């Protein structure tokens, strides 16, 4: 099995030697068993969660165990869309890993998170070739679908066109960095990925009188393809550009070597800053709704309630032209940006949520966890609970009737995020942010996380949150800065 | 060979009987030779042209002879993109026939024009299925690429998405009807095609506060795919809707049977009229330029002069995403509407011409004849002459180095249109329109046409036009209504 996995992985130097070494060091079953027990104990020590709903509790623990077991044990391998549990998506890696699964690893096993990010570093040369393939002479374009680092999407409108993956990886690096302050990783690897993926986007897009634009892209919603100024793509690119610019500025002593290596000039960085400042973020000012892209809200309406149940998922039953010209989403799109970046004021957030939820089929398993987290943010705890149950048990209950092709690995991560981002309102910023959601369905819940090398336990009991840490930790609680020495208790804010 | 052709054609009832009959009636070589001579003599009698530039004269005569020889000898067959001269495009039929070749047949051999239109009638059921395939429950969608009437496009963004083909066929029917007044054809066949193709577009598009829209379409320019409110598509649909509505209204006694057969209601017709009246036709009011579509003019610029010669055609050298997000055209797009419908005032025409010509690669052979005709219209006779030479000799001189795959049949027709539409300014409206172009390159030129069953000869000599007709004919000459008994002479207007 190990051998098969390597067959599809990136090039591993001295492969034969490694195999030989492994064989030479073969030990008794008991030794391996002990080793495995240690690994599992360590896994649960840092990752365990608890919630007073047996079904969700059991499911979440199953889900994170499956993430742990998903086969990404070294830097040459990533996590496939189905982990190693089935043949769906042929073992390919997508944005699913960084966007939906990685936060779990950052919060519980940062070393494994780093290892996953290193996969992108090791395949950066292939991503550079892909940039060329897309007509961009500089930078790197992370493949939408790959094993060995080469783009393997069979259908570019819902594949290569999803240039947001560059910023998804950048967001993952930023998040990892915020949670770990791992400047060594940044200097040696992270910054190079950030810069190369940013330069690609900078060249792919263009400025005009109205600002910086990214045209000819597909956002997360694959039922709306090849559009202009997709909000998610632009918003994530803005964060990508601005974080990269700021990081370089603050760490210029180390960064300048990376810049030289990549032939990235001060002018390039200035343009990056300008693109970030002038990024096009479309909002319908009259309706106070974020526009998914330049034309989504002007498209023909489609009443998804009136479509027969057996016509879903739409992509298997309708021509793409039919799907693309309607106001219909496969999955959360704009809302992903609102969940990841969490910097939109409430009315706009609420209106945007209402508008797109009504038009979303959830034909993708990457959808409901995002809407669920948003629902917690908005105080819609009943809806959030309904979605929480759904995403937690998606595979155990085979809710999509697709689990025979393998587990929905992104949703495994997504179900964890419903607890971490949704219920506890965790966000990984320069310091740890906490905005636990007001809700009535759970009396108790708890989560173990690691932040700034501190082991932290956060528990909910009767609308009170208690955080304990094995060392001093800075927090932002409902926008209030708090320095915690060992423990801190506060009440859940009522919406 | 005949047998092979039938192999790929639409279903022919009693095929074996027909073969048997043919064999039974086999006659001597001399008899066939005489028959063929008669056919050729008749062809030249009604189609011959003359122009005082030996190269263009010879080339044009070669081109129209090739159109005549292109294999469409009965209603079950159309003209392939390469006629029967080569294997390019695998013998498939496109809009090329109606848009670029049919005007030649209407003007010279209206019966053959009717036969070509009948092919669309005989394949209307397949077009109805294709409408369903595209998610539209009513009407018919003419396939972009077909032999047997079924859509055979391998790549829908530059295939099925070109819904303008419905209106291209409608325009051809209208033009045929204007030139022939063949009400019997209309009542029995033409109106059914017009209505079914119109209903498809009506359902494909949608109304909003700003008017009627056609989203998710590709115009003639295949370097700009899946866009909203493509001007050509909308303008042609508008003409399609309005002609259909008017025809039904004027001929309701016969039309109502067709309406009943197709279950098309008065409400449908009212919506068709409304869609025509409220059709979205985008114009940049500041720059006074027609917008190719909702976003073309906002896209990134591409300096096509700076692209190495061996990187053309772009579609063979660049990723579609690279091509689509730039302001670059494979071929004339908006200008095709201006040439076909010819109802745009001069400043807008000139600005639009300038804007798009600069951005057009002419990677398609359907491009230069359109720009050439426009150039004549605008008085740019030197440029027009240059293009005329190019399109006339495109295959004879193998200018695209592609003639080994077969003749460029659309351009064969296009080269004829440079003479008919360009130099003589012919347009087929309810009466024959003539607006000969001011130019200096040709001293003499002449053309035979048939209009309203009259055989007409139009000749240019020293800036004077003489028209002779074998019966009374109404004309519109430079916007002036003229009734000609047998002959009429007028001067070419100086721009």
């Amino acid at each position: 099995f190990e051998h098969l996995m390597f067959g599809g992985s990136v090039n591993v130097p001295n492969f034969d030697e490694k195999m030989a070494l492994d064989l030479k060091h073969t030990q008794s079953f008991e030794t391996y068993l002990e080793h495995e027990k240690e690994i599992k104990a360590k896994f649960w020590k840092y990752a365990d969660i608890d919630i007073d709903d047996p079904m969700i509790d059991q499911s979440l623990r199953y889900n994170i165990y499956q993430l742990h077991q998903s086969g990404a044990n070294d830097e040459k391998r990533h996590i496939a869309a189905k982990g190693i549990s089935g043949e769906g998506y042929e073992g390919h890696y997508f944005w699913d890993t960084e966007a939906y699964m990685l936060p779990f690893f950052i919060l519980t096993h940062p070393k494994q998170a780093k290892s996953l990010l290193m996969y992108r570093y090791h395949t950066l040369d292939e991503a550079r070739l892909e940039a060329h393939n897309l007509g961009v002479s500089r930078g790197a374009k992370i493949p939408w679908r790959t094993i060995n680092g080469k783009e393997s999407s069979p259908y570019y409108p819902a594949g290569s066109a999803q240039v947001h993956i560059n910023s998804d990886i950048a967001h993952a690096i930023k998040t990892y960095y915020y949670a770990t302050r791992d400047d060594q990783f940044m200097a040696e690897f992270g910054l190079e990925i950030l810069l190369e993926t940013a330069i690609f986007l900078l060249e792919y897009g263009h400025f005009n009188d109205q600002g910086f634009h990214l045209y000819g892209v597909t956002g997360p919603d694959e039922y709306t393809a090849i559009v202009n100024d997709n909000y998610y793509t632009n918003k994530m690119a803005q964060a990508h550009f601005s974080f990269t610019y700021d990081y370089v500025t603050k760490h210029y002593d180390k960064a300048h070597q990376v810049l030289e290596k990549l032939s990235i000039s001060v002018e390039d960085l200035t343009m990056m800053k300008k693109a970030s400042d002038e990024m096009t973020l479309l909002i319908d000012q009259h309706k106070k709704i974020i526009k998914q892209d330049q034309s989504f809200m002007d498209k023909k309406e489609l009443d998804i309630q009136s479509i027969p149940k057996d016509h879903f998922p739409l992509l298997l039953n309708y021509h793409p032209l039919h799907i693309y010209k309607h106001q219909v989403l496969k999955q959360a799109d704009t809302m992903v940006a609102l969940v990841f970046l969490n910097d939109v004021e409430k009315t706009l957030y609420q209106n945007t949520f209402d508008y797109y939820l009504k038009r979303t089929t959830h034909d993708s398993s990457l959808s409901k966890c995002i809407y669920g987290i948003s629902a917690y943010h908005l105080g819609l705890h009943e809806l959030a609970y309904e979605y929480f149950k759904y995403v937690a048990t998606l595979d155990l209950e085979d809710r999509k009737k697709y689990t025979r092709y393998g587990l929905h690995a992104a949703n495994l991560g997504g179900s964890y995020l419903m607890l971490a981002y949704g219920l506890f309102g965790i966000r990984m910023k320069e310091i740890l942010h906490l905005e636990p959601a007001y809700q009535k369905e759970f009396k108790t819940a708890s989560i173990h996380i690691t932040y700034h090398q501190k082991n932290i336990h956060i528990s909910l009991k009767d609308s009170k949150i208690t955080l304990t840490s094995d060392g001093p930790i800075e927090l932002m609680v409902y926008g209030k800065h708090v320095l915690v020495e060992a423990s801190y208790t506060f009440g859940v804010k009522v919406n």
Side-chain angles (χ1 to χ4, degrees), chain A:
Chain A
F1 176 73
E2 183 80 355
H3 184 72
L4 274 173
M5 287 298 291
F6 274 109
S9 82
V10 298
N11 183 44
V12 177
N14 307 318
F15 176 65
D16 287 344
E17 287 83 337
K18 188 176 180 301
M19 283 289 281
L21 208 66
D22 284 351
L23 290 170
K24 195 174 147 198
H25 286 258
T26 298
Q27 291 174 320
S28 70
F29 173 76
E30 285 70 24
T31 313
Y32 283 117
L33 184 64
E34 280 312 307
H35 180 60
E36 197 65 18
K37 278 182 179 172
E38 272 173 44
I39 290 174
K40 295 292 173 274
K42 194 180 157 200
F43 169 75
W44 287 114
K45 179 181 170 192
Y46 291 109
D48 208 4
I49 57 93
D50 184 64
I51 193 159
D52 71 337
D53 178 313
M55 183 183 69
I56 294 182
D57 186 63
Q58 181 194 33
S59 304
L60 278 191
R61 298 182 81 243
Y62 173 82
N63 292 353
I64 60 176
Y65 181 74
Q66 289 298 337
L67 279 180
H68 168 66
Q69 288 288 74
S70 60
N73 296 329
D74 65 41
E75 296 181 359
K76 306 289 180 177
R77 285 179 285 167
H78 218 235
I79 303 180
K82 301 295 187 186
I84 52 174
S85 67
E87 294 179 6
Y89 296 108
E90 298 81 27
H92 282 108
Y93 315 144
F94 298 81
W95 75 312
D96 301 33
T97 320
E98 279 86 353
Y100 286 79
M101 308 176 217
L102 197 80
F104 166 74
F105 291 104
I106 297 175
L107 284 171
T108 61
H109 298 89
K111 273 190 189 162
Q112 200 170 345
K114 180 187 162 190
S115 173
L116 286 163
L117 292 173
M118 286 304 295
Y119 166 82
R120 299 296 184 184
Y121 183 80
H122 292 305
T123 52
L124 206 49
D125 275 344
E126 286 81 1
R128 288 181 174 112
L129 288 175
E130 180 57 12
H132 275 264
N133 182 37
L134 294 176
V136 174
S137 58
R138 303 175 63 200
K141 164 63 173 58
I142 306 290
W144 180 249
R145 178 183 183 130
T146 191
I147 294 175
N148 63 4
K150 291 182 182 135
E151 179 60 82
S152 308
S153 297
Y155 178 64
Y156 76 83
S160 315
Q162 301 203 43
V163 299
H164 65 78
I165 194 170
N166 270 20
S167 301
D168 302 333
I169 273 68
H171 180 72
I173 290 171
K174 178 178 75 173
T175 309
Y176 168 78
Y177 175 69
Y178 280 162
T180 62
R181 293 175 172 164
D182 186 349
D183 276 307
Q184 196 188 340
F185 166 78
M186 292 298 280
E188 288 178 33
F189 314 109
L191 186 57
E192 184 167 340
I193 307 177
L194 285 176
L195 283 164
E196 286 289 81
T197 51
I199 286 290
F200 170 86
L201 289 170
L202 197 59
E203 301 269 324
Y204 194 88
H206 68 289
F207 288 94
N208 70 8
D209 295 349
Q210 282 80 49
F212 183 77
H213 303 274
L214 284 160
Y215 272 31
V217 307
T218 299
D221 165 27
E222 295 178 349
Y223 284 175
T224 309
I226 319 286
V227 295
N228 301 329
D229 287 332
N230 168 262
Y231 179 87
Y232 176 81
T233 306
N234 288 16
K235 181 80 176 173
M236 294 296 283
Q238 182 182 50
H240 180 179
F241 290 170
S242 105
F243 176 75
T244 305
Y245 179 85
D246 290 347
Y247 189 88
V248 169
T249 311
K250 276 186 207 154
H251 304 81
Y252 195 73
D253 53 330
K254 284 188 178 170
H256 79 92
Q257 289 171 346
V258 183
L259 295 172
E260 271 167 40
K261 176 183 167 190
L262 305 175
S263 303
I264 293 174
S265 66
V266 173
E267 287 70 34
D268 291 328
L269 289 166
T270 307
M271 290 308 280
M272 207 178 282
K273 178 82 171 76
K274 185 173 148 74
S276 169
D277 291 345
E278 298 178 13
M279 185 65 71
T280 304
L281 298 171
L282 299 171
I283 293 172
D284 183 320
Q285 295 295 355
H286 181 66
K287 295 181 181 160
K288 298 257 177 272
I289 296 170
I290 296 172
K291 293 171 141 188
Q292 182 168 317
D293 57 55
Q294 215 173 53
S295 66
F296 183 91
M297 288 177 68
D298 302 320
K299 289 186 176 177
K300 198 168 183 171
E301 291 279 7
L302 185 72
D303 178 14
I304 57 179
Q305 303 303 327
S306 72
I307 299 171
K309 284 269 179 292
D310 61 352
H311 286 205
F312 294 91
L314 301 185
L315 82 162
L316 297 183
N317 293 285
Y318 294 92
H319 195 287
L321 284 172
H322 180 74
I323 296 173
Y324 295 168
K325 77 182 162 73
H326 282 101
Q327 290 197 41
V328 61
L329 292 82
K330 185 178 175 196
Q331 66 212 91
D333 189 286
T334 304
M335 294 313 298
V336 187
L338 271 53
V339 164
F340 286 0
L341 301 175
N342 212 34
D343 61 354
V344 163
E345 59 87 14
K346 193 156 172 190
T347 308
L348 190 59
Y349 198 117
Q350 177 78 59
N351 293 348
T352 303
F353 175 88
D354 291 342
Y355 191 85
Y356 294 105
L357 179 56
K358 203 180 299 173
R359 291 161 175 84
T360 302
T361 59
H362 307 294
D363 279 351
S364 160
S365 64
L366 280 62
S367 189
K368 282 200 171 167
C369 59
I370 298 296
Y371 281 109
I373 295 165
S374 306
Y376 271 131
H377 179 79
L378 290 166
L380 306 169
H381 55 87
E382 287 170 8
L383 181 67
Y385 177 65
E386 187 194 310
Y387 281 11
F388 201 171
K389 278 190 295 187
Y390 178 92
V391 300
T393 60
L394 189 141
D395 282 313
L396 276 179
E397 303 268 344
D398 194 14
R399 289 178 183 267
K400 282 196 165 279
K401 307 289 170 214
Y402 254 76
T403 300
R404 65 187 180 281
Y405 300 112
L407 299 168
H408 296 76
N411 180 73
L412 300 177
S415 69
Y416 175 81
L417 291 181
M418 281 226 58
L419 180 69
Y421 285 11
L423 194 70
F424 284 109
I426 290 173
R427 286 300 184 286
M428 292 177 268
K429 308 260 171 140
E430 280 163 300
I431 58 172
L432 183 66
H433 283 228
L434 278 184
E435 298 192 1
Y438 175 74
Q439 53 85 37
K440 295 178 172 176
E441 289 73 20
F442 307 110
K443 295 290 169 223
T444 63
S446 73
I447 190 168
H448 283 89
I449 65 166
T450 298
Y451 214 82
H452 294 171
Q453 291 76 49
K454 308 299 181 305
N455 298 311
I456 299 166
H457 183 253
I458 310 172
S459 64
L460 162 77
K461 195 177 176 191
D462 300 330
S463 301
K464 285 220 172 308
I465 299 285
T466 300
L467 177 143
T468 59
S469 172
D470 63 1
I473 184 91
E474 275 187 285
L475 301 178
M476 187 71 81
V477 179
Y478 296 124
K480 203 185 82 179
H481 192 263
V482 179
L483 181 62
V484 175
E485 285 301 325
S487 88
Y488 178 61
T489 299
F490 61 95
V492 173
K493 210 167 149 182
V494 180
N495 276 66

